[in-house]
Amino acid sequence: MANMVWHTKLRIYLDLTKDDLGHEELPNLWETIYGADRLYAARNVPVPERDLQCAGVCRDAGVEAWMHLRLRANGRREAVHEKTEDENRHTTAVSDEHKAYQERILRAAQEGGFHGNSEVRTRVGRSWIQTDTLVEGAGGRRIGWEVQLSSAATNGPRSVRARASKAHKNGITPAWHTDRADYAQRHDTHWTRSNNLPAYVIAKTGDLRVISGFRALDFWHCDLRALYPCPHGTRRCGKTHVTPKPRDILFDDLVRHTAAGAIVPIEHRITTRLHRFWVTSADRDRLDDLNSDDAQLPPARETEAPATASRNRPTCRPGIVMTRPVPQSQVPEQPFTPPTEDAPAAHTGTASSPPDLPDSLLALQRAADAEHRTLQRLTSEEERTIQRAVWFRAAAAAQSAVTQYARRKRLNRCEIESQLRRITRHPQP
């Protein structure tokens, strides 16, 4: 029997503990649904075709358990499962190990100055989110700990992925803990794992280690001295990469630091596979800085040029008629006439050859790259905040100089910027 029933046709939950079934806007709801169920029974309609499912323990386990209604002589309303195995699922007590984990999470949270509670049911629209242990952290964080020591569904509305996504959308950070190695490798949510231990070991105050699910990010420069292969190929690219490395952490520290925001969940893609694990907030910020690029900075606002001016290279010359594309090697050289205000008259380059960039432009780009490398080496959060502002100012100065140079030379800005980065970041011997 269950107190919560899901009506598949009306798409509503029915709470049998309330006179109005939890829907005061629908009068005589019980009489209507119970009458329809009795009519189905009189016509020998199978229970799976009566539109009623268990919305309690069975739904949380990812099982579709069909039910029918019954009214006792004393007026008690009951929903009865079709199968005995579904009925027994409600009478099975929570394991001692599960209770020990819940108690330990609450104790660790209280020692860190945070409040928590077990078996918390949060109303979301017409449904609920039931969390094993909900910890109220700093800054409005809500960490929903789910201890999964038994089988869990992989697909469907009550699967681990669906439950974790639903909690995340409603302001709860899902944190799933298990003692099964196959769960820790699924990556359908942010799993953490400890060894399979008895309840009395879990409950006591001694060290309880998390052996999977927490990573330390190793940032390294891809050169000839690097210990790892380049993820982009066999040659050294000269860029900075990151490699997640497993680290053990105490379970109590994990509970307290996630509530404080010092440990956060991230999603990290390696080749084509998406990995989910926990890292420190400092490593998360360094990863965000690594994935960012000064090319994403907004360019300086340009003034409108005259209608006759063009910043692109010419594609044809007057008097030459081309019936089909001509290879670049057959295009005749065109004399380059520099602007009179700042270019030397002795320049004899061609239109297809890139212009020589001034040393001031190279110096600005190298300074911006140096500030970015300095930012990646810092570990203190306060120092990183200051250095991040320094890097943005240096990058903005380089971007503004590129814009002014391209406008003055009447060249394509994108090509100038690409050439500048190629010269400064990948110099030719």
Side-chain angles (χ1 to χ4, degrees):
M1 291 180 291
N3 291 326
M4 292 302 303
V5 180
W6 169 252
H7 200 291
T8 59
K9 239 176 211 183
L10 299 180
R11 310 294 295 177
I12 58 175
Y13 286 91
L14 309 176
D15 190 352
L16 300 186
T17 61
K18 298 180 179 180
D19 294 336
D20 56 3
L21 303 184
H23 300 276
E24 58 181 8
E25 72 280 3
L26 302 176
N28 302 322
L29 182 59
W30 165 258
E31 288 76 8
T32 302
I33 296 178
Y34 181 72
D37 186 74
R38 292 299 88 202
L39 181 61
Y40 285 143
R43 297 186 176 183
N44 295 323
V45 176
V47 175
E49 299 179 10
R50 300 186 190 180
D51 309 323
L52 300 176
Q53 288 183 358
C54 176
V57 177
C58 299
R59 188 176 180 86
D60 293 339
V63 178
E64 292 185 353
W66 298 97
M67 310 186 74
H68 63 87
L69 301 178
R70 180 171 62 189
L71 186 61
R72 293 287 190 180
N74 58 359
R76 176 182 173 85
R77 304 168 179 176
E78 293 180 349
V80 184
H81 289 82
E82 177 193 18
K83 300 179 180 179
T84 305
E85 60 186 38
D86 296 332
E87 192 75 31
N88 294 336
R89 190 176 294 109
H90 287 255
T91 58
T92 302
V94 178
S95 66
D96 295 336
E97 290 77 13
H98 193 283
K99 294 179 181 178
Y101 269 117
Q102 289 181 310
E103 295 174 359
R104 181 141 193 168
I105 293 172
L106 292 178
R107 185 171 66 247
Q110 292 174 359
E111 291 174 355
F114 305 106
H115 174 72
N117 205 350
S118 296
E119 302 300 336
V120 179
R121 206 168 198 182
T122 306
R123 184 69 181 253
V124 179
R126 295 185 177 182
S127 61
W128 287 266
I129 297 177
Q130 183 160 343
T131 310
D132 286 345
T133 307
L134 185 63
V135 177
E136 302 289 344
R141 295 181 182 85
R142 307 177 71 196
I143 311 298
W145 285 94
E146 298 286 350
V147 180
Q148 192 68 39
L149 308 179
S150 58
S151 300
T154 57
N155 298 307
R158 296 304 300 169
S159 63
V160 173
R161 187 186 305 274
R163 293 168 61 187
S165 177
K166 188 175 183 181
H168 181 72
K169 290 179 181 178
N170 290 276
I172 299 177
T173 301
W176 288 68
H177 189 75
T178 185
D179 58 5
R180 299 176 57 166
D182 57 332
Y183 280 7
Q185 299 174 0
R186 281 166 47 168
H187 297 291
D188 49 0
T189 187
H190 294 82
W191 288 97
T192 54
R193 181 172 74 92
S194 297
N195 289 322
N196 189 355
L197 301 172
Y200 73 92
V201 175
I202 299 172
K204 67 181 184 180
T205 317
D207 292 344
L208 175 61
R209 289 196 170 273
V210 176
I211 60 176
S212 176
F214 179 73
R215 301 283 191 272
L217 300 184
D218 187 9
F219 296 85
W220 52 279
H221 191 66
C222 187
D223 54 14
L224 296 177
R225 295 174 295 179
L227 300 177
Y228 307 102
C230 179
H232 302 313
T234 57
R235 300 178 61 184
R236 295 299 178 180
C237 63
K239 298 181 179 179
T240 301
H241 303 298
V242 59
T243 299
K245 303 179 71 173
R247 287 289 184 272
D248 290 359
I249 187 174
L250 298 181
F251 184 76
D252 295 349
D253 291 341
L254 181 64
V255 172
R256 289 189 287 265
H257 291 165
T258 53
I263 293 180
V264 294
I266 67 168
E267 296 179 352
H268 182 62
R269 184 174 297 278
I270 301 177
T271 61
T272 60
R273 187 173 184 182
L274 186 65
H275 296 261
R276 293 179 172 90
F277 46 81
W278 298 82
V279 298
T280 62
S281 58
D283 280 354
R284 189 268 315 273
D285 293 341
R286 294 186 67 186
L287 182 62
D288 292 343
D289 291 336
L290 178 64
N291 294 333
S292 64
D293 187 18
D294 52 3
Q296 303 299 326
L297 293 175
R301 187 173 181 178
E302 300 183 6
T303 58
E304 294 187 2
T308 58
S310 174
R311 298 186 180 89
N312 298 324
R313 295 171 180 171
T315 56
C316 63
R317 291 190 302 169
I320 297 179
V321 179
M322 297 183 182
T323 57
R324 63 178 183 275
V326 178
Q328 186 69 24
S329 59
Q330 299 179 12
V331 177
E333 294 187 355
Q334 302 178 22
F336 178 81
T337 305
T340 58
E341 62 268 20
D342 54 5
H347 185 79
T348 58
T350 63
S352 60
S353 61
D356 295 333
L357 301 181
D359 294 339
S360 59
L361 208 58
L362 300 176
L364 288 175
Q365 184 61 41
R366 290 193 180 101
D369 293 342
E371 299 297 347
H372 193 195
R373 289 192 296 269
T374 302
L375 174 64
Q376 295 175 1
R377 290 193 296 267
L378 297 178
T379 57
S380 172
E381 183 62 28
E382 183 178 357
E383 294 177 351
R384 289 177 60 81
T385 302
I386 299 175
Q387 181 61 28
R388 188 179 293 110
V390 174
W391 167 51
F392 267 79
R393 287 195 295 269
Q399 293 287 299
S400 177
V402 169
T403 301
Q404 296 176 8
Y405 178 79
R407 182 188 304 142
R408 188 171 62 250
K409 293 289 187 177
R410 299 185 183 275
L411 298 175
N412 187 288
R413 185 190 183 281
C414 182
E415 294 181 2
I416 294 298
E417 183 179 13
S418 177
Q419 179 189 357
L420 176 63
R421 293 185 179 178
R422 183 169 62 253
I423 293 175
T424 56
R425 298 179 182 179
H426 307 286
Q428 296 296 330

